[in-house]
Amino acid sequence: MTAARSLPADGHPSPPEPGLTADEVVARAERIAAGLVDRQQETEERGYYGLETHNELLNAGLYRLLVPRRYGGYEFGLDTYLRVVIALAAGCPSTAWMYTFGASHAHTAATLFGEAAQDELFAGGDFICPATVGPVGFAERAEDGGWIVDGVHRYSSGSPYATHFIGHTLVAGAEGEPPAPMLFVVPRAQWERLDDWGGQLGLKGSGSHSVKIDKAHIPAHFALPGTHMGVTSVVEGTPGFELHGTTLYGGGVLSMIQFQVGALAVGMATGALEAYGQLLLDRTTIYPPIVPRAADPDFQLHYGEAAGRIATARAALTDAVRQWHETADRGSAAFTREVDLRLSLISSEALRLAWSAVADHLFPTAGSSAVRTGERIERIWRDMSTLHSHGGVSVFLAKLAGRELAAQVFGVAHP
């Protein structure tokens, strides 16, 4: 399933490959992923994937998957996009993380911003835009009605090859009122990428550098006062649906963002299972009877348990995406906060299953030589461990989402 595509508007470019199919896109991602395994070490050392990988993603059209067709994008559904993320994460978790948190925010921009902003944002076709959700500093009104934004936004995954940046800041409230969040977007020329990434336990190559904005002026149509990606409501409709006529840009932004976490976890665990399977074929048991690990009942059990959990995680995420599209197709009014939260929590459970496959079965039984620094399973374990430190996982999914869902269901106050 893919979302319905809108007709190209007069005067706007067609995609580079108008006949490109979802299956071919996924096949391209799988071919790219096969070459990423051998580049993992250099990607970690650099802090982000290299120009060769960037050009492969660019030439395969992967930066245009969620860009509207009106602007030369492919406008594929979330299902196709997340299959690509899973494929890339199986090859190199850092690369997939950097890719998705740069490319996916085309969906955010195409859903939330109006036509004037989108005409400028998507003018280049390829769109790479890291985003952070923590508000930084206070915005000031400019004389022309625009805004002056300033500050350092940490963990801006995808920044090395970015074309734009989406951030949040605060706008002072009226006297006695708390400040309100404001979502904004700035072009690449108006910010600096700091060299401050790579010292973490895992995801060392994810390009999650800080973005420094020094009193940048942005026009009014690049700012959405009162908007925060984590609490944005679409029940009254979206500018993206009105502009593009497809429900791909009329559904919940929150759950779409959280789906990526689940997809990354499923892809990482899939890569670990592949590496573990190769160990079962290449190595023998250390206690008699000495047989190939693939013939040993204990190793078979661990492989099977992990495979089942990963398959279940993938199935859960696939169905969550199906529900997302079906809900959006019923109209924006159907995409309530309760629905957005429920779908987000499915992604959380997919992550939990994928992590348990690696942490409970694959990593502890692979053997000491398989978890030396730089080995594939060792790296995936580090990367998945670090994934749990992400604010969307450790704060929102682990604590806030479940509590807020219950408050929504029972109609009680949520702090």
Side-chain angles (χ1 to χ4, degrees), residues 98-122:
M98 176 173 160
Y99 162 76
T100 190
F101 287 116
S104 68
H105 296 116
H107 179 264
T108 304
T111 300
L112 299 181
F113 284 94
E115 182 175 2
Q118 292 195 39
D119 283 350
E120 295 181 46
L121 296 176
F122 296 123

Side-chain angles (χ1 to χ4, degrees), residues 386-411:
T386 302
L387 180 155
H388 284 83
S389 70
H390 184 265
V393 176
S394 64
V395 178
F396 179 74
L397 290 178
K399 301 173 184 176
L400 302 182
R403 294 204 298 261
E404 186 181 350
L405 175 62
Q408 290 279 332
V409 171
F410 297 110

